[in-house]
Amino acid sequence: MERSLALTIESLQAYGPLYRHWVVAYSGGKDSTLVVTLVAYLIASGVIQAPESLTVLYADTRMELPPLQAAALLVLGELQKRGVTTRVVLPPLDERFFVYMFGRGVPPPKNRFRWCTPQIKVEPMEAALADLRQAYGEKFLMLTGVRIGESAARDQRIALSCSKDGAECGQGWFQMKTPEAVADVLAPCLHWRVCHVWDWLTFHAPHYGFSTQAIAEVYGGDEKEEINARTGCIGCNLASKDVALETVLRLPQWQYLAPLKGLRPLYAELLKPHYRLRKDGTDRCKDGRLAANPMRMGPLTMEARRYGLSQVLDMQTHVNVGAVQLGQPCIDLINTEEHARILALIEANIWPERWTGREIRADVLIPQVVADGIVQPLLYELEGGVL
């Protein structure tokens, strides 16, 4: 670990002085928590030269695991006391997860329609970074928690990018962009092993005044099979298994979150045809050509949107009843503002682009139309046309 720490210090000493402003993209996970607390400590202890400004941007997707969100907000408060500027970055109201799903009718994300990550996390952070670039009038240094061993795909990208376009990974992973770019990027803890990360979060960071032990607990504590697990949104239906939530529920103080296990089955249910609308085979592109999938399934019906909303609110209520009884933090998957906005969008009959709400329900049997316009008629007519 001493060598890992030394390399991080060398990295920040080499590249940090080239920029007047530093920004940390903070997700609340273990690696970005390592970066924000380590950088704050190294500056406070005089080991590295402080920039003119250090800003931490916390990406609040509104879908984070409650223990991680609580720990992240606690760390932000501790950073503020040390003079670090912090900012919580939220998606616009209409683009938040449940507002977009139940208010506009967009079905739950899936691997071939993964609308959630860019919309509730990436794009809001990019907008916040662009605002800082405009305010500073120059490029800044963005620090990230990217680390080798966290993702095989990411490791491959790192290997391919080393020594290309100004990038190098001997001291962290430094990526120099064009002069007009928002920021150059440095991953100062690229080389840290996961055991070093846990040592820092469990022992060193708390010793220096940061409340990071809870983060290690969320990731699985001392259970070696869980300790390197990656976390994501609550009940993420894009993962084969919600390991993060299952790990949290094994901790006695968080077992009241068990009703959230109903999110994944709810998303799976809402993807079924009888909850959605379908094009009837006449859908065409702007140039007049028949659409590639002229009978594609689309948005949630109004009934499905109201049903899904009621189910999430019911889970939220059950969790918060348990929270009050135990003196634990309550959750607001759908807060008052979002609830009101969902109801307003439903009342206004809002639908996704190129959908009107007058389409047929997706479980209604009609002749099949394929991309070249060939029609396959029904062999049998069912009463009402419903399967």
Side-chain angles (χ1 to χ4, degrees):
M1 181 161 177
E2 289 77 8
R3 181 56 180 159
S4 292
L5 182 58
L7 285 172
T8 294
I9 293 171
E10 291 174 11
S11 174
L12 292 167
Q13 289 175 336
Y15 300 110
L18 303 177
Y19 304 85
R20 296 196 302 153
H21 307 283
W22 298 1
V23 177
V24 184
Y26 182 40
S27 69
K30 65 182 189 300
D31 296 322
S32 62
T33 301
L34 162 67
V35 172
V36 295
T37 55
L38 178 57
V39 169
Y41 160 71
L42 292 175
I43 290 174
S45 61
V47 175
I48 60 174
Q49 180 181 341
E52 289 186 21
S53 72
L54 173 61
T55 302
V56 176
L57 298 179
Y58 171 53
D60 186 359
T61 65
R62 303 274 299 117
M63 296 297 295
E64 302 296 334
L65 284 166
L68 279 185
Q69 185 185 45
L73 294 177
L74 197 58
V75 169
L76 289 180
E78 292 162 350
L79 290 169
Q80 287 176 341
K81 293 177 181 177
R82 290 165 168 78
V84 177
T85 300
T86 67
R87 175 181 166 189
V88 177
V89 178
L90 285 164
L93 180 59
D94 280 8
E95 295 185 4
R96 296 180 192 175
F97 189 82
F98 288 118
V99 177
Y100 198 63
M101 186 187 301
F102 300 141
R104 187 165 292 274
V106 178
K110 51 186 179 179
N111 284 317
R112 295 183 64 181
F113 183 43
R114 192 169 184 159
W115 54 263
C116 50
T117 303
Q119 185 162 304
I120 67 176
K121 187 172 186 178
V122 177
E123 293 170 5
M125 182 62 76
E126 289 177 342
L129 292 170
D131 288 344
L132 287 177
R133 173 66 167 86
Q134 185 174 9
Y136 294 148
E138 61 187 56
K139 273 197 305 184
F140 52 84
L141 182 64
M142 184 170 74
L143 304 177
T144 73
V146 171
R147 189 176 55 79
I148 289 176
E150 181 70 1
S151 161
R154 184 181 292 168
D155 289 355
Q156 187 176 33
R157 290 197 299 271
I158 293 171
L160 288 172
S161 70
C162 280
S163 75
K164 288 181 59 179
D165 301 323
E168 68 90 21
C169 59
Q171 298 171 320
W173 182 30
F174 179 68
Q175 296 170 287
M176 182 176 289
K177 309 293 183 179
T178 64
E180 297 77 20
V182 168
D184 294 334
V185 182
L186 175 66
C189 298
L190 178 80
H191 48 278
W192 281 56
R193 294 170 57 186
V194 69
C195 55
H196 298 161
V197 176
W198 297 128
D199 281 350
W200 176 263
L201 296 179
T202 305
F203 305 112
H204 299 276
H207 178 73
Y208 299 128
F210 293 103
S211 304
T212 55
Q213 303 99 319
I215 296 174
E217 288 184 346
V218 172
Y219 279 85
D222 294 327
E223 298 179 28
K224 298 184 182 299
E225 292 183 2
E226 306 287 354
I227 201 165
N228 201 23
R230 302 184 70 188
T231 60
C233 295
I234 306 170
C236 176
N237 61 317
L238 302 178
S240 59
K241 189 178 181 182
D242 195 354
V243 174
L245 181 57
E246 291 177 2
T247 301
V248 167
L249 293 178
R250 288 202 289 269
L251 302 171
Q253 68 270 34
W254 296 108
Q255 288 177 356
Y256 72 96
L257 297 175
L260 298 180
K261 292 169 65 177
L263 287 173
R264 279 169 60 92
L266 175 63
Y267 300 151
E269 182 70 12
L270 291 175
L271 288 171
K272 293 179 179 178
H274 59 283
Y275 290 106
R276 301 171 65 185
L277 300 180
R278 181 191 297 279
K279 293 292 186 180
D280 61 4
T282 61
D283 190 40
R284 294 187 176 274
C285 303
K286 292 181 179 179
D287 60 6
R289 292 180 295 107
L290 194 66
N293 186 3
M295 299 194 69
R296 68 185 184 279
M297 286 199 295
L300 302 173
T301 65
M302 285 296 181
E303 295 77 12
R305 289 150 76 168
R306 291 190 180 94
Y307 166 71
L309 173 62
S310 68
Q311 291 295 301
V312 174
L313 291 175
D314 186 60
M315 293 178 208
Q316 179 170 292
T317 298
H318 278 80
V319 168
N320 288 339
V321 167
V324 171
Q325 292 174 346
L326 297 170
Q328 285 286 90
C330 291
I331 65 169
D332 60 349
L333 294 176
I334 300 176
N335 61 29
T336 303
E337 181 186 29
E338 293 161 351
H339 189 189
R341 184 56 179 163
I342 290 170
L343 295 178
L345 290 170
I346 291 175
E347 181 66 24
N349 196 36
I350 299 300
W351 296 89
E353 186 178 356
R354 298 188 66 182
W355 294 85
T356 66
R358 296 188 296 271
E359 293 83 3
I360 60 172
R361 212 171 72 177
D363 61 340
V364 174
L365 290 177
I366 60 173
Q368 299 294 299
V369 181
V370 295
D372 56 7
I374 296 175
V375 178
Q376 179 178 326
L378 295 177
L379 294 179
Y380 300 97
E381 288 286 347
L382 300 179
E383 184 176 354
V386 178
L387 179 61

